[in-house]
């Protein structure tokens, strides 16, 4: 099950986010539920300060629950930051949200690009493979 909690005024993303999350979870053979929360700058900055001791806006945060057999965790995406990054990288909002969501799910699955260069390379390679597949399916 995938639960969406949109705390922004931007609507109509639920179906898209569920589709991306379902594909990613299936690709990783994960049979647990995920919660996706869309927030604004102020909320993600507050969470980033509390949990990562970084007093700045970030694009995505992941909070896992490794003791729960049915719940993988929660992914928090800053929608305004995703929009800014989509513009900066000259891509669509959907493509940027796909990147952020896949990145968050990989973190919840145990990948951590901050541990070593090798782990970073492995995580980002898998991330790009999943994103490419999702984008090719969406283009049909």
């Amino acid at each position: 099950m995938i639960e969406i909690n949109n705390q922004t005024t931007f609507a109509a993303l639920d179906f898209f986010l569920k589709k991306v999350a379902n594909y990613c979870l299936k690709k990783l053979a994960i049979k647990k539920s995920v919660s996706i929360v869309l927030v604004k700058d102020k909320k993600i900055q507050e969470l980033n300060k509390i949990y990562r001791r970084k007093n700045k806006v970030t694009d995505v945060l992941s909070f896992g629950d490794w003791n729960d057999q049915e719940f993988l965790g929660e992914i928090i995406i800053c929608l305004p930051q995703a929009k800014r990054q989509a513009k900066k990288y000259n891509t669509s909002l959907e493509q940027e949200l796909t990147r952020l969501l896949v990145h968050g799910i990989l973190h919840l699955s145990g990948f951590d690009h901050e541990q070593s260069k090798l782990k970073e390379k492995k995580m980002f390679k898998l991330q790009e493979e999943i994103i490419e597949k999702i984008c090719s399916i969406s283009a049909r």
Side-chain angles (χ1 to χ4, degrees), residues 32-127:
K32 293 184 176 186
S33 62
V34 172
S35 174
I36 302 165
V37 183
L38 298 176
V39 298
K40 295 181 181 178
D41 290 335
K42 184 178 178 182
K43 184 64 176 178
I44 205 146
Q45 182 172 355
E46 177 184 303
L47 293 169
N48 203 22
K49 183 179 179 182
I50 292 168
Y51 293 101
R52 298 181 68 227
R53 292 175 173 51
K54 296 183 180 185
N55 190 16
K56 63 179 185 175
V57 172
T58 190
D59 50 8
V60 62
L61 293 170
S62 301
F63 297 95
D65 190 343
W66 290 273
N67 295 321
D68 194 316
Q69 299 298 314
E70 295 178 19
F71 182 63
L72 185 63
E74 184 167 68
I75 299 164
I76 302 172
I77 297 173
C78 180
L79 190 57
Q81 182 66 17
K83 287 180 181 180
R84 288 189 291 271
Q85 288 174 187
K87 186 175 182 178
K88 178 181 177 181
Y89 302 133
N90 197 28
T91 189
S92 70
L93 176 59
E94 288 80 8
Q95 287 176 315
E96 184 61 13
L97 288 171
T98 297
R99 187 182 69 78
L100 296 176
L101 184 51
V102 170
H103 187 86
I105 291 172
L106 287 173
H107 270 299
L108 292 178
S109 302
F111 289 88
D112 189 350
H113 56 88
E114 295 179 352
Q115 288 183 341
S116 71
K117 286 290 182 189
L118 182 62
K119 289 183 179 188
E120 176 182 1
K121 186 176 178 180
K122 184 177 179 182
M123 179 178 174
F124 286 120
K125 182 178 186 286
L126 179 57
Q127 177 178 304

Side-chain angles (χ1 to χ4, degrees), residues 9-21:
T9 55
F10 196 83
L13 290 172
D14 290 14
F15 178 76
F16 172 77
L17 292 171
K18 284 182 181 182
K19 189 168 120 179
V20 169

